[in-house]
Amino acid sequence: MRLRGHTIKAVLLQVHSIAGLVLALLLALIALTGAIMSFEDEIVDHLNADIMRVIPREMPPLTPDDLIARLKAAQDVGKVSAVTLSSDPAAAVHVRFARDEHGGRPASLYVDPYDARVLGLPRGEAFFATVRRLHRWLLIPGDARGWGRPITGTVALGLVVMLISGLVLRWPRRAGSVKTWLKPNLGLSGRGLHRSLHAVIGTWVLPVYLAMTLTGLWFSFEWYKDGLIWLLSRPQVAAAKMPPKMPPKPSRGADRSEPAQPIGFDRAWTTFQREEGDRFSRALLTLPAGPGTVIRIRSWGKDRTLEATRDEFRIDAAAGQLVSAERYDDKRFGEKIIAAIYDIHRGAILGWPGKLVFMIAAVLMPLFSVTGILLYLSRRKLRRPAQRPLGRLVPGE
C-alpha cells in the first residue's frame, strides 16, 4: 500500500513538474495582467474625474438620439454602438463606438448631456484595453474568435491540474497541524527554502487560484459555460441565453433598393424609464450588432456597485415594446452565482479587500514559476551521479 502511494506521488510529481515548466511563462503573464486590472475602475475614474462630471442645469438633458445627432454634426465620429446614461444630473454621458472596417475600435468619448459638447477622451482606456486583450487572448489576432481564447482556457485547465496535484504532493503526515500547512520555514536555505516557499505560499493562495481559474474557464470554453448554466439555472433561463434567430434573407424577387432604416435609442429609452422610474443610477444602452431592432439595456440600482447586481431589459427600438425584463432580485441563488462570475473572478464579490487579496495572489504567481523551475533543476542535479562508475578492470590493463 505504501509502495502504491509512493508510485502515485511520483507520477503526480512528474505531471506537476511538466505542466509547470510548460505553462510557467503564460501563467505568470496572465496573472500579472490580471493584477494590473484589479483596480481598473478606480484608476480610470480617478484619471478622468475632471471629464466625467458636468455642472447641472435647469434644462432637461438631451434625449440619446438628439445627443448623438448633435455630436455627429459637430465632428466626424464613427458609428455609435452604446451609450451610458445616468440619473445623476451632474454625470457625463459615456459614448462608445462600433469597430471600423479595419476591425479597430475608436476611442470612446465623455459628452455633456445638455449640449453634446465633447468633454474628452477617457485616459487609461487604451492601456487597459490592451492589457485586457493580453490577459484574455494573449494579443493573438481575432480576439475572442481567434486562437487566444482556447489557449488561455487550456492554460487555466493546466493550472487546475497543478493545484490539485500540488495539494496531494504536499499533504503532510500531520494533516491537522496548522503550523505545518501555513508557516514557511525561513531558516532553511537553497532547495529547502525554495520548497517551503513553493508549498506553503501555494497553500495560502490555492483557494484564490481555484476561484480565479474555475470562473475564468467561463470566458474560454462554451461547453464549460453551457454546463454551468445547465447546472445552476432553470431550463427556461438556459434557453433564454440562446441568441435570437436572424431574420430570413429576402427572396430574390424582393426589392433590395431600399436600405434598412437605422434604429435609435429614444423609444427604448422612454420604455425603460417608464419601467424603472427613478430606481436606477446608471444604464448602459447597447445597439444590436446585427440587423435586429432589439436594444439591450443593463441598469444598476442606486445602492448597487457590483457588475452582477444589474437588471437587464431587451426592448424593441422600432416599436418601443418591452421584449423581456430580467431583474436581479428575481433570480435564484444559482442564477445569481452565474451573474456574479466576473465579480468572483476578480474578487470584487468581497469588496475592495477581496480585490486586494486577489491582486496580491496574482502578483505572487511568478514566485511559483521561479521556485518551481529551481526545484526541478535541483532534482535533476541530485539524480545525476557524481562520478561515472568504473568498469571492472581486466588483468594486464
Side-chain angles (χ1 to χ4, degrees), residues 45-280:
D45 288 350
H46 176 74
L47 291 175
N48 298 286
D50 58 331
I51 63 173
M52 294 175 65
R53 308 291 294 176
V54 298
I55 299 175
R57 303 171 204 174
E58 295 296 331
M59 59 188 295
L62 297 172
T63 65
D65 288 347
D66 284 345
L67 183 141
I68 293 170
R70 292 196 187 187
L71 177 63
K72 289 185 174 181
Q75 58 180 292
D76 183 20
V77 295
K79 179 183 177 183
V80 174
S81 63
V83 294
T84 301
L85 305 172
S86 175
S87 61
D88 182 357
V93 176
H94 192 193
V95 181
R96 296 180 176 88
F97 301 96
R99 295 185 182 277
D100 56 28
E101 61 273 12
H102 303 293
R105 189 183 297 277
S108 63
L109 297 173
Y110 279 104
V111 180
D112 190 312
Y114 299 100
D115 58 13
R117 179 172 55 90
V118 174
L119 302 174
L121 282 70
R123 306 177 189 93
E125 181 182 70
F127 169 76
F128 281 109
T130 302
V131 173
R132 190 176 300 108
R133 290 181 60 236
L134 182 58
H135 178 76
R136 293 180 177 179
W137 311 305
L138 306 175
L139 295 181
I140 294 176
D143 291 346
R145 296 181 180 86
W147 284 101
R149 187 182 180 194
I151 290 175
T152 54
T154 303
V155 172
L157 288 174
L159 180 58
V160 173
V161 172
M162 292 170 62
L163 293 172
I164 295 174
S165 60
L167 181 62
V168 174
L169 287 170
R170 82 141 307 190
W171 198 273
R173 295 179 181 178
R174 294 184 299 165
S177 172
V178 176
K179 179 180 178 181
T180 304
W181 279 106
L182 301 178
K183 184 179 179 182
N185 190 346
L186 300 179
L188 299 174
S189 62
R191 184 172 185 271
L193 178 62
H194 299 155
R195 188 179 187 280
S196 179
L197 293 175
H198 192 88
V200 176
I201 298 179
T203 304
W204 295 352
V205 299
L206 186 142
V208 177
Y209 285 170
L210 276 178
M212 288 178 176
T213 307
L214 296 178
T215 52
L217 288 169
W218 169 278
F219 304 101
S220 295
F221 297 116
E222 289 299 324
W223 58 264
Y224 185 88
K225 184 177 183 177
D226 293 340
L228 275 186
I229 293 175
W230 174 84
L231 182 66
L232 297 175
S233 71
R234 293 167 288 183
Q236 59 268 32
V237 175
K241 298 296 182 182
M242 297 296 292
K245 292 183 178 180
M246 301 295 290
K249 295 182 178 180
S251 60
R252 291 186 178 181
D255 184 10
R256 301 183 185 179
S257 60
E258 295 184 3
Q261 293 294 324
I263 62 173
F265 291 102
D266 280 1
R267 287 188 177 181
W269 179 239
T270 301
T271 303
F272 168 77
Q273 288 180 308
R274 186 173 62 246
E275 290 289 326
E276 281 290 90
D278 60 351
R279 292 189 296 271
F280 76 99

